[in-house]
Amino acid sequence: MKVSTIPLIGRAENHADRTAIIACDGTFTYRQLLETSALVATGLLEGRDDLNEERVAFLTPRGFEYAAVQWGIWRAGGIAVPLCEIHPPSELQYVIQDSGATIVVGHPEFSSLLRSIAEDVGFRFALTSDLLFAKAGPLPKIATGRRAMILYTSGTTGKPKGVVSTHLNIQAQVNSLIQAWGWSGDDYILHVLPLHHIHGIINVLTCSLWAGAKCEILPRFDPLEVWQKFLERDLTLFMAVPTNYVKLIDAWEAAPPHRRRLLSETCRKLRLMVSGSAALPVSVLEKWRSIIGTTILERYGMTEIGMALSSPLYGEREPGYVGRELPGVEVRLVDETGDPVPPGIPGEIQIRGPTVFLEYWQRAEETRKSFSDGWFWTGDIGVVEKNNYRILGRKSTDIIKTGGYKVSALEIEELLRTHPAIEECAVVGVEDPEWGERVCAAVILQSQENLSLDELRTWGKKRLAPYKVPTRMLILDDFPRNPLGKVTKPAIRELFMRA
Ligand code: AMP
């Protein structure tokens, strides 16, 4: 059997008997992960030599099976396209179709859902339960420059785009974090983040498996369960989005005094707690520090670039700032023409280096427009103060960050316009202490029509991922517009803030 050259998988052989994953489906060693992923790979290959970058979408419960299938796809030479278990069928179908997946792997729990999509789209559907009982056969040698993964992310234009990273990109992203945050085989992390998003896939799961550490995956984020795990386990690391920290603080505050003391003491044993995917409000950082005694490390990153900036592992972490460049990442701030700006002057963040993605899947023009001289335009505005980066916000009001998820206002608007009661709509993100931003929809109704927020949400949940469905609605007679008649989104946001 040829040896795989994917470094992540090669390294696992050194940790064979250590625990890799603890989840609802059991406790598994690195050896079990290697053996099971080899079975998955052989089952996917069906006697062929190499999947040669065929896209394999997969939907499994959060646990060992997820990692075994992901590694199996990589070992067979495929591109892994993780699907999200809370997405409605229309979103799953979009990702499967856009990525051109030829195989979809699903846990039996999702079989009827995926089979019905297969009838419309046409792909080979493989049940995990069948793949796991295949026989291991020869596997291809995978060059690290090959495409490894496509993650779907929202942009300023309509539907989500597939961000393609190679094995080398993943390796660079992981190496950078392992070095910066001091990961080792002695680490034990609690995983509460989505497994179709870079934060959960790279920063938590893949870093942990690269380091030979232990990763305990919870079926979902539940603040009480997280606190209980902090108490019961010898965890060393925790990574979450700001909304998670807000909910953990709420649960701590609701606990009786003796339990609060216990929870605070327990938490101090963790060597590092990280927040990212959205701005961590200084008030949340300070509250956490006052109850736990730990200053959360804030980092800045993006699906396209991996992680770019981070507060230091050791030394002062300045509230409201995201620190400096991570190892191997080049960062600069530029004006609209692409010229670097000096410290103290805000500019758009540009990133360069091996962590930056290869391309948007099948969108050559969008890929080309996102780079200048090898620098990727992030669309985020930052400033350097006291040798420390501060994120000021996004260039576009059409990108909303809610609970750490990036959603496109335009995508939601396009869908809302298909609602029979809606004539026109404008979706904005409105600041919120718990969610960062809330998805809010201003609508103009067709004459004679009525619509309640509950009705809109019930309709929306069948068609959109739950976090994209508006949580507030305003019915207006007309929208605030500029002299050219274009809807002015800042004015709409104002209306929500005043309402
Ligand atoms: P995603 O690709 O879903 O991870 O979203 C990336 C976007 O999240 C970035 O472009 C930023 O707009 C935002 N983001 C990530 N980390 C931070 C942070 N620490 N502070 C502010 N915004 C952040």
Side-chain angles (χ1 to χ4, degrees):
M1 192 188 296
K2 282 186 202 161
V3 179
S4 162
T5 48
I6 301 168
L8 172 69
I9 290 155
R11 291 172 59 90
E13 277 150 24
N14 304 331
H15 322 297
D17 294 317
R18 298 170 64 96
T19 298
I21 290 175
I22 303 170
C24 284
D25 45 358
T27 297
F28 301 88
T29 62
Y30 281 85
R31 188 189 310 286
Q32 286 171 303
L33 185 52
L34 283 168
E35 286 171 0
T36 314
S37 59
L39 300 183
V40 172
T42 315
L44 290 173
L45 283 165
E46 282 189 314
R48 292 157 62 192
D49 293 341
D50 190 326
L51 287 183
N52 285 315
E53 299 194 350
E54 264 179 54
R55 276 75 59 212
V56 184
F58 64 111
L59 188 58
T60 67
R62 299 167 54 78
F64 174 72
E65 256 191 26
Y66 176 96
V69 171
Q70 186 190 46
W71 282 29
I73 297 167
W74 286 341
R75 298 180 79 181
I79 302 179
V81 186
L83 299 171
C84 172
E85 77 269 22
I86 58 167
H87 280 180
S90 55
E91 294 225 12
L92 296 173
Q93 178 157 343
Y94 171 76
V95 170
I96 292 169
Q97 265 177 319
D98 189 80
S99 64
T102 48
I103 310 175
V104 175
V105 179
H107 183 272
E109 183 182 313
F110 304 111
S111 128
S112 63
L113 170 66
L114 293 170
R115 277 188 210 284
S116 70
I117 298 176
E119 276 168 24
D120 287 349
V121 183
F123 48 75
R124 177 183 150 208
F125 177 61
L127 274 177
T128 48
S129 48
D130 293 340
L131 290 177
L132 301 183
F133 292 102
K135 264 218 222 105
L139 300 179
K141 208 170 161 71
I142 311 295
T144 49
R146 280 173 55 167
R147 294 171 180 82
M149 187 157 67
I150 305 183
L151 297 181
Y152 276 78
T153 187
S154 294
T156 43
T157 47
K159 288 279 197 185
K161 296 175 284 196
V163 174
V164 180
S165 22
T166 62
H167 289 284
L168 270 180
N169 293 142
I170 294 175
Q171 189 181 328
Q173 292 172 358
V174 168
N175 268 327
S176 175
L177 295 183
I178 296 266
Q179 199 184 324
W181 297 344
W183 274 92
S184 81
D186 295 332
D187 277 315
Y188 182 1
I189 190 161
L190 189 65
H191 196 319
V192 297
L193 292 164
L195 277 166
H196 68 294
H197 185 265
I198 188 158
H199 199 169
I201 300 174
I202 299 293
N203 300 20
V204 182
L205 183 64
T206 311
C207 279
S208 178
L209 297 177
W210 182 278
K214 209 166 10 174
C215 182
E216 179 156 357
I217 307 175
L218 293 187
R220 71 196 69 77
F221 173 78
D222 171 350
L224 292 179
E225 205 180 337
V226 171
W227 277 120
Q228 195 56 33
K229 292 288 176 193
F230 285 159
L231 281 177
E232 287 170 5
R233 305 288 201 245
D234 295 323
L235 297 165
T236 62
L237 291 170
F238 182 66
M239 297 181 193
V241 300
T243 305
N244 298 143
Y245 285 103
V246 171
K247 294 194 169 177
L248 286 168
I249 290 171
D250 289 347
W252 184 91
E253 284 179 332
H258 67 278
R259 183 152 170 101
R260 286 187 192 178
R261 263 195 309 280
L262 190 65
L263 296 178
S264 298
E265 274 163 29
T266 307
C267 244
R268 283 188 200 121
K269 290 188 299 200
L270 274 77
R271 71 170 184 87
L272 179 64
M273 299 188 126
V274 178
S275 170
S277 293
L280 177 67
V282 172
S283 57
V284 175
L285 177 141
E286 276 168 357
K287 182 80 198 173
W288 192 262
R289 188 154 60 185
S290 76
I291 64 177
I292 309 297
T294 306
T295 304
I296 297 170
L297 177 151
E298 186 171 2
R299 59 76 184 162
Y300 161 85
M302 191 179 185
T303 308
E304 286 89 333
I305 59 169
M307 300 304 113
L309 297 164
S310 167
S311 301
L313 177 61
Y314 304 111
E316 192 75 14
R317 293 178 198 150
E318 186 79 33
Y321 289 79
V322 290
R324 298 290 313 175
E325 296 86 344
L326 279 158
V329 184
E330 285 181 81
V331 183
R332 68 178 193 181
L333 299 179
V334 296
D335 63 19
E336 273 160 18
T337 64
D339 285 333
V341 296
I345 304 294
E348 180 167 347
I349 304 173
Q350 283 191 333
I351 308 289
R352 191 166 70 172
T355 58
V356 178
F357 75 127
L358 179 70
E359 63 190 353
Y360 290 116
W361 179 248
Q362 308 258 291
R363 287 172 170 87
E365 188 52 20
E366 281 184 61
T367 308
R368 197 187 55 72
K369 281 202 228 140
S370 312
F371 288 88
S372 303
D373 301 328
W375 289 93
F376 174 72
W377 295 85
T378 60
D380 290 313
I381 308 296
V383 64
V384 177
E385 292 163 350
K386 296 175 277 174
N387 206 25
N388 221 335
Y389 279 87
R390 186 154 68 90
I391 309 297
L392 299 174
R394 286 173 302 276
K395 227 167 55 173
S396 165
T397 49
D398 287 327
I399 296 290
I400 302 171
K401 264 276 160 165
T402 179
Y405 289 107
K406 186 177 182 188
V407 307
S408 156
L410 303 187
E411 183 194 356
I412 302 168
E413 285 167 4
E414 255 167 49
L415 179 83
L416 296 189
R417 283 190 203 106
T418 67
H419 189 291
I422 294 178
E423 185 182 303
E424 190 45 271
C425 65
V427 171
V428 292
V430 177
E431 229 175 275
D432 179 84
E434 185 174 349
W435 297 98
E437 285 178 307
R438 267 179 190 274
V439 179
C440 298
V443 297
I444 300 173
L445 294 182
Q446 305 276 7
S447 60
Q448 318 291 324
E449 291 285 356
N450 281 315
L451 183 66
S452 71
L453 177 62
D454 279 350
E455 285 164 346
L456 179 76
R457 285 182 54 74
T458 308
W459 181 87
K461 278 184 197 161
K462 293 191 192 123
R463 295 160 174 89
L464 285 171
Y467 50 84
K468 296 180 185 171
V469 180
T471 56
R472 290 180 65 192
M473 181 178 76
L474 273 181
I475 297 176
L476 302 175
D477 293 330
D478 195 8
F479 292 145
R481 296 177 194 273
N482 71 11
L484 297 173
K486 192 171 173 277
V487 176
T488 42
K489 292 224 168 159
I492 294 203
R493 201 183 281 146
E494 276 291 310
L495 291 177
F496 275 101
M497 295 203 295
R498 271 194 266 130

